[in-house]
Amino acid sequence: MESRDEHISVLLNETISALKIKENGCYVDCTLGGGGHSEQIAKRLSPAGCLIGIDQDDYAISRAEERLASYPCRKIFVRDNFIHLPAVLDRLDVSCVDGVIFDLGVSSFQFDQAERGFSYHHDGPLDMRMDRQRTKTAADVVNHYTESEIKKIIYDYGEDKLAGRIAKAIVNRRKERPFTRTLDLADVIRSAYPEKYRRKGHPAKKTFQALRIEVNDELKILMQAVKNAILRTKPGGRICVITFHSLEDRQIKRLFNEQADPCICPPEFPVCVCGRKPTVKKITRKPIVPSAEEVQHNRRARSAKLRVVERIAS
């Protein structure tokens, strides 16, 4: 059993291998998290190499500074949202980098800290903010959004067919008293689930995922963030994206397809006349998924998918 502070990086070897690290290169970990991917990059860099780590979480930054202190490469840790990658690189006077990683999962230490409010297994304040300087929390969503808004969030972001039942149960309960705790909300969600559906995992899983995405605007910024990374990667550099649910994976698949084949000419045209040029080539035609052994050792890896593209000269 992993400890409260332990974080096991998913698809670690596959991601580092796909990145094709140059010892003097410059690499960006856009989701620093537990620092596992960053550590493996730093191990492979010479003193002339550079690692830039970005995270919204102060705790993640401090952990990474301590964990990677012994590696001789240049290390720069930035507290920011990865949507601001271009501005981060501009401030550092870095025009282009040799590779970028996005690991879109919530780090284990965030899940396991009850006070962060991500977990439906541990009681804590109903928070779910990646960036604690943001104002909107999960409690704000469940206590103040309309029933139709809550239903839409759970259906769109959680892909839960019982979104209507759950939203109704939430709104009915909040009339008695507002939600403030994670387990209180989890219990109400469970009560909205018919018994036959409860055997397919925890009833609150999809709703908690949906609330986390809403609170942190995750899907709204993801596409632009990855586009920014492509534009700031050198030809031959790799962009690696690890997703953990189908919404993210579909977005990344669609984006990579569009960037690899941007032609918008009608299919009946014998040749392209739109003049749109590809920016990447796909390294993974199908996503890389964890081995059975990895899933056995890390339950949170089971839904992970890795997609990789390589920047080409435009």
Side-chain angles (χ1 to χ4, degrees):
M1 179 72 69
E2 66 191 74
S3 71
R4 168 185 167 108
D5 264 356
E6 184 180 356
H7 173 73
I8 304 172
S9 296
V10 172
L11 291 165
L12 180 59
N13 295 332
E14 294 86 345
T15 304
I16 297 303
S17 175
L19 204 55
K20 290 195 175 296
I21 297 168
K22 303 174 184 177
E23 65 175 14
N24 294 334
C26 180
Y27 295 86
V28 182
D29 185 345
C30 281
T31 45
L32 189 57
H37 289 104
S38 282
E39 182 175 27
Q40 292 303 315
I41 294 172
K43 278 183 178 180
R44 291 161 172 78
L45 294 177
S46 71
C50 179
L51 167 68
I52 301 169
I54 301 174
D55 206 287
Q56 302 178 88
D57 192 320
D58 290 314
Y59 185 48
I61 297 291
S62 63
R63 280 169 53 93
E65 288 174 339
E66 180 179 352
R67 180 172 183 172
L68 277 66
S70 63
Y71 297 104
C73 65
R74 185 184 179 203
K75 300 176 291 291
I76 304 169
F77 301 111
V78 181
R79 188 197 172 285
D80 209 331
N81 188 299
F82 56 52
I83 189 65
H84 301 135
L85 174 62
V88 170
L89 295 181
D90 288 345
R91 290 199 302 269
L92 299 174
D93 199 24
V94 175
S95 58
C96 291
V97 299
D98 294 284
V100 183
I101 289 178
F102 292 86
D103 175 356
L104 301 176
V106 178
S107 295
S108 297
F109 63 81
Q110 291 174 323
F111 262 125
D112 294 339
Q113 289 179 326
E115 64 269 22
R116 300 301 300 273
F118 290 109
S119 176
Y120 41 83
H121 292 299
H122 307 294
D123 191 38
L126 198 52
D127 193 321
M128 299 194 194
R129 291 172 297 170
M130 298 281 197
D131 178 354
R132 296 201 224 192
Q133 294 186 11
R134 295 172 72 102
T135 56
K136 182 169 65 178
T137 67
D140 294 324
V141 176
V142 297
N143 288 320
H144 301 298
Y145 280 31
T146 65
E147 182 177 330
S148 61
E149 288 172 334
I150 295 172
K151 175 183 176 181
K152 180 174 173 55
I153 289 167
I154 297 171
Y155 186 82
D156 289 350
Y157 295 162
E159 298 184 297
D160 196 323
K161 295 179 181 178
L162 298 178
R165 292 175 62 109
I166 297 168
K168 183 178 289 293
I170 288 172
V171 170
N172 285 341
R173 214 312 298 278
R174 79 186 188 191
K175 292 175 183 177
E176 302 172 14
R177 63 183 187 280
F179 289 95
T180 61
R181 309 293 293 182
T182 52
L183 291 189
D184 185 19
L185 177 61
D187 287 342
V188 171
I189 296 168
R190 182 187 293 276
S191 72
Y193 255 66
E195 182 65 34
K196 64 180 180 179
Y197 289 100
R198 297 182 189 179
R199 306 184 191 100
K200 300 178 181 179
H202 197 292
K205 178 180 178 180
K206 294 179 179 179
T207 297
F208 270 59
Q209 170 185 294
L211 291 172
R212 192 198 78 220
I213 291 171
E214 172 66 16
V215 168
N216 297 287
D217 292 328
E218 292 177 26
L219 293 180
K220 294 177 183 177
I221 67 173
L222 176 58
M223 296 287 271
Q224 187 57 53
V226 178
K227 285 180 183 177
N228 291 342
I230 291 171
L231 292 173
R232 299 300 290 261
T233 300
K234 299 175 185 176
R238 300 278 181 88
I239 298 93
C240 301
V241 183
I242 303 172
T243 62
F244 286 83
H245 57 78
S246 57
L247 286 171
E248 291 174 340
D249 184 59
R250 285 199 298 270
Q251 283 200 342
I252 296 302
K253 179 182 178 180
R254 182 166 57 250
L255 173 60
F256 283 175
N257 285 341
E258 291 172 353
Q259 295 288 313
D261 183 13
C263 177
I264 56 173
C265 294
E268 61 269 20
F269 279 27
V271 295
C272 175
V273 296
C274 71
R276 294 164 66 99
K277 302 295 184 184
T279 60
V280 302
K281 67 176 181 181
K282 290 188 286 186
I283 301 302
T284 52
R285 293 292 169 182
K286 294 183 177 181
I288 298 171
V289 298
S291 65
E293 182 180 5
E294 179 173 1
V295 172
Q296 182 180 0
H297 286 88
N298 182 10
R299 179 175 52 85
R300 288 171 177 158
R302 64 190 182 279
S303 60
K305 294 181 178 179
L306 167 65
R307 293 185 185 271
V308 185
V309 293
E310 182 175 294
R311 184 73 157 98
I312 60 177
S314 53

